[in-house]
Amino acid sequence: MRDLTLEHLRIGYGEKTVLGPLDAVFEPQCLHVLAGPNGAGKSTLLRHLAGVLTKQSGTVHLHGQALEKFNRFEKARQIAYLAQERELVWPLRVREVVMLGRHPHGSSLETATSIDEKAVDEAMQATGIGDWADRLVTELSGGERARALLARALATGAAWLLLDEPVAGLDPRQQFLVMAMLQDQVRRGRTVLVVLHDLALAARFADRILLLHQGLAVAHGPVETVLTEDVLADVFGLSARLSADAQGHNLQIHGVMPCNFR
Amino acid sequence: MAQARLRRVVVILLVLLAMVSLASLLIGEAGLSLSDSLKGLFGHESVAGLIIYEIRLPRTVLALLVGAVLGLSGAALQALLRNPLADASIFGAPQSAALGAVAVLYTGLAGALSWVLPLAAMAMAMLSLWLLLLLAGQRAQVFVLLLAGLAVGSLAGAATSILIALSPNPFAITEIVFWLMGSFENRSMQHVVLAAPFIMLAMGLLLAQGNAYRALALGEETALSLGVDLDVVRHVTLLAVALGVGASVAVAGAIGFIGLAAPQIMRRFLSSDPKQILGPSALTGALLLELADVAVRLIPAQSEIKVGALTALLGAPLYLLAVRRETGQGRQA
């Protein structure tokens, strides 16, 4: 019962439903990729699980308990969320930002215990920003900023990491490093739900893929059962082929399906 | 490192505040010599003592309280809206509060020292802030709030002056200027008693939101995911700002730009951490307003210059500079 279970979940804005009805089970200690075209409902799902959006109907159970039964801080200690919008208004220092991850534990810069300090240190080490404690976040490059915010999410100590396009705007090497870091977090016992647009990256790193299209689940499971030629043609209008080697899955995109070009 | 800097800034502010407050007790239109004033400070019975304790002390204390809550309100609003250009006075709240006070005062509902006065001022400040956010939307750009606030402020200011002019009052012009420009002239300890509880409550409520303001630095979605109850933070902030601004206006009229300037100054000299600058912004607000209130007594004029006129005179250019910086125009220069 350490999983995250969605039953007939519907989420929307006002009357309009943008996601669901959706049934899915996310097993613990896996790297789950949420994939799908723009507007498929990937971010909507994460935003609901993070407590930003309310649902219209259905249930979500985390570790066997209904999500709404958790109080705000309990939930925030279980689920960390990296929003798509990377807002950083004030020129805070990197360590101050990462320490915000300890907010659900009732800790702040002023009241941090050795446990908080350790969690922050580890998060900064894991994202390779251990030396940046005193740098101003407003002066970081896009890639550096992404890592600082990722460290903030890690510092919560949450078992579940919900990341909305954490590699957006990063160069290929940085993308690869971030995904490898997430894989490492999964090995350490965490569960990752990550929205990715890069299907090749998803094929390489995912344990499970939930493919959404127009608010509904098209396929959910191991990479080879989801990223099939038919599905890729139907959902993305792409001609592509999946193969595997010792490192994992490789997705080769050959081109755009002419009839499906939208 | 950050803590040491904070301590240093707070100590400097406290020392300056003590010096300016002492100056405020020793300077006034009674024309007491410095030695008489000093003697009066240590002896209640003399005429000098009477002047200092009955006239200058309430004035000094009020300027401290009002300055502190305005500075803190500005820091809180800027943190909540995540924009250094936010302030209650920019949103028309003090003018609305003045309208509330004037409305009950000149319709004969309440006397100048009645509790009804601050309550009406607070209610109107609350209403104006609430209306502003309702009309412009929670996620409104600050520039939209600013334009809407300009309209709210002008409307309330106009209504205030008309209301006073219509009342059978030989001192109407002076009264209009008092409510719209603010002043600490002729205040008594009763005014302090009237405003202090609300101001203290407002400051307590705002200081308690520090961690939430800091989490909001990462955006509303991230703050929500960290367990911050955004609705509570929004409502408590608006309520507290309305309490502070309303109580201030009820005893001293509408005084602008303190809430804008104090956090700006602290961001420059202390840090950008929205939680850390809350307390220091209150001290800076108190220092600025006390300084302005001493200055209006030193400037030779026919009648005393209103302290709100001075804060606007100094604050408005600062605001324009901040606008220039925020819109990026300053960077190209």
Side-chain angles (χ1 to χ4, degrees):
Chain A
M1 290 304 281
R2 303 303 293 169
D3 48 20
L4 180 69
T5 312
L6 322 179
E7 283 169 22
H8 308 300
L9 181 66
R10 265 178 208 271
I11 311 167
Y13 305 90
E15 295 286 290
K16 192 168 163 256
T17 297
V18 287
L19 179 78
L22 183 66
D23 292 86
V25 176
F26 295 99
E27 302 89 350
Q29 293 187 41
C30 281
L31 199 158
H32 299 272
V33 168
L34 307 186
N38 290 327
K42 310 178 294 290
S43 298
T44 303
L45 177 57
L46 286 199
R47 293 172 85 212
H48 170 65
L49 296 175
V52 176
L53 274 183
T54 53
K55 66 187 175 193
Q56 291 172 326
S57 62
T59 58
V60 178
H61 283 86
L62 177 65
H63 303 168
Q65 190 183 336
L67 205 55
E68 54 267 28
K69 292 277 166 58
F70 288 83
N71 78 33
R72 296 178 149 273
F73 286 124
E74 268 171 16
K75 194 177 129 190
R77 286 195 293 267
Q78 294 294 336
I79 297 179
Y81 170 62
L82 179 67
Q84 202 173 352
E85 56 165 27
R86 306 283 154 76
E87 189 178 325
L88 284 167
V89 200
W90 311 114
L92 300 177
R93 302 198 180 276
V94 170
R95 198 181 170 82
E96 293 172 344
V97 166
V98 179
M99 185 58 89
L100 278 172
R102 303 305 291 172
H103 184 83
H105 300 265
S107 303
S108 65
L109 274 182
E110 294 81 4
T111 61
T113 63
S114 57
I115 297 170
D116 298 315
E117 301 287 355
K118 189 159 165 272
V120 168
D121 286 339
E122 283 176 1
M124 291 177 70
Q125 293 299 334
T127 46
I129 62 167
D131 299 333
W132 301 357
D134 285 325
R135 291 183 66 186
L136 296 176
V137 283
T138 42
E139 289 171 5
L140 300 178
S141 72
E144 292 172 336
R145 184 180 286 213
R147 280 154 74 186
L149 290 175
L150 207 50
R152 197 283 304 155
L154 288 182
T156 54
W160 293 77
L161 296 175
L162 275 46
L163 313 168
D164 201 347
E165 296 191 38
V167 299
L170 301 191
D171 64 47
R173 179 187 150 81
Q174 294 285 346
Q175 295 193 2
F176 203 88
L177 287 175
V178 166
M179 291 310 296
M181 190 272 290
L182 294 180
Q183 215 167 34
D184 186 51
Q185 291 297 322
V186 169
R187 276 190 217 110
R188 291 162 188 243
R190 285 180 158 153
T191 313
V192 174
L193 269 67
V194 54
V195 172
L196 288 182
H197 270 297
D198 185 334
L199 293 173
L201 210 57
R204 169 64 79 182
F205 286 99
D207 295 317
R208 297 273 188 283
I209 296 183
L210 171 62
L211 185 60
L212 295 169
H213 186 38
Q214 296 175 346
L216 297 171
V218 176
H220 187 192
V223 178
E224 62 274 15
T225 64
V226 174
L227 295 184
T228 63
E229 284 177 47
D230 288 347
V231 168
L232 289 164
D234 282 351
V235 175
F236 292 98
L238 285 174
S239 156
R241 180 166 297 159
L242 193 71
S243 61
D245 63 22
Q247 271 88 47
H249 292 94
N250 293 312
L251 184 75
Q252 286 217 312
I253 297 173
H254 303 301
V256 175
M257 304 290 282
C259 52
N260 277 359
F261 190 79
R262 277 167 289 193
Chain B
M1 194 185 78
Q3 289 301 313
R5 192 182 175 87
L6 173 67
R7 221 171 296 135
R8 200 162 60 232
V9 168
V10 168
V11 168
I12 292 172
L13 284 172
L14 285 174
V15 169
L16 288 174
L17 210 49
M19 283 164 50
V20 180
S21 300
L22 187 66
S24 170
L25 290 175
L26 299 180
I27 294 168
E29 61 182 303
L32 298 175
S33 69
L34 196 63
S35 62
D36 280 346
S37 294
L38 281 172
K39 267 183 232 152
L41 204 54
F42 298 104
H44 288 240
E45 287 79 33
S46 64
V47 176
L50 212 65
I51 288 171
I52 285 176
Y53 284 95
E54 295 296 319
I55 297 173
R56 292 183 191 169
L57 184 64
R59 179 175 192 153
T60 305
V61 173
L62 265 188
L64 285 181
L65 283 172
V66 170
V69 79
L70 292 183
L72 180 55
S73 295
L77 280 175
Q78 291 176 13
L80 181 71
L81 299 169
R82 300 184 300 290
N83 194 307
L85 299 179
D87 179 36
S89 66
I90 305 293
F91 297 156
Q95 293 90 330
S96 306
L99 176 61
V102 164
V104 293
L105 196 58
Y106 291 96
T107 51
L109 278 173
L113 287 173
S114 155
W115 290 101
V116 177
L117 206 62
L119 290 177
M122 286 183 274
M124 277 303 285
M126 186 82 216
L127 187 71
S128 75
L129 287 173
W130 182 75
L131 258 181
L132 196 69
L133 287 182
L134 188 82
L135 290 177
Q138 295 280 10
R139 290 170 169 273
Q141 297 262 321
V142 164
F143 287 99
V144 176
L145 290 176
L146 212 137
L147 291 175
L150 185 74
V152 170
S154 307
L155 184 73
T160 301
S161 51
I162 289 172
L163 210 59
I164 299 177
L166 287 178
S167 72
N169 182 347
F171 306 106
I173 296 298
T174 331
E175 291 281 311
I176 292 170
V177 174
F178 166 79
W179 286 109
L180 296 183
M181 278 292 157
S183 167
F184 294 105
E185 270 179 277
N186 307 324
R187 303 289 98 180
S188 68
M189 269 301 161
Q190 281 158 296
H191 289 101
V192 176
V193 172
L194 208 59
F198 300 111
I199 288 177
M200 293 301 187
L201 179 62
M203 290 182 51
L205 287 172
L206 293 176
L207 287 171
Q209 310 302 313
N211 284 330
Y213 293 151
R214 191 184 270 159
L216 268 169
L218 299 182
E220 297 192 350
E221 295 201 352
T222 304
L224 276 169
S225 78
L226 284 169
V228 172
D229 195 334
L230 263 188
D231 282 337
V232 168
V233 176
R234 275 198 202 107
H235 287 122
V236 168
T237 304
L238 288 192
L239 175 76
V241 168
L243 288 181
V245 168
S248 302
V249 169
V251 294
I255 295 170
F257 293 101
I258 297 291
L260 182 87
Q264 297 262 7
I265 293 169
M266 280 304 99
R267 238 172 260 129
R268 170 151 298 186
F269 289 104
L270 182 57
S271 85
S272 294
D273 178 350
K275 180 183 179 186
Q276 198 177 61
I277 63 168
L278 286 178
S281 292
L283 293 177
T284 305
L287 179 65
L288 289 177
L289 195 52
E290 197 69 63
L291 211 54
D293 193 46
V294 170
V296 293
R297 279 175 269 170
L298 290 175
I299 299 169
Q302 281 286 318
S303 64
E304 193 177 298
I305 294 169
K306 300 293 175 206
V307 72
L310 191 63
T311 61
L313 201 64
L314 299 174
L318 188 82
Y319 189 74
L320 291 175
L321 278 177
V323 169
R324 184 179 150 89
R325 196 164 56 237
E326 286 311 309
T327 50
Q329 296 301 308
R331 273 176 232 133
Q332 290 161 16

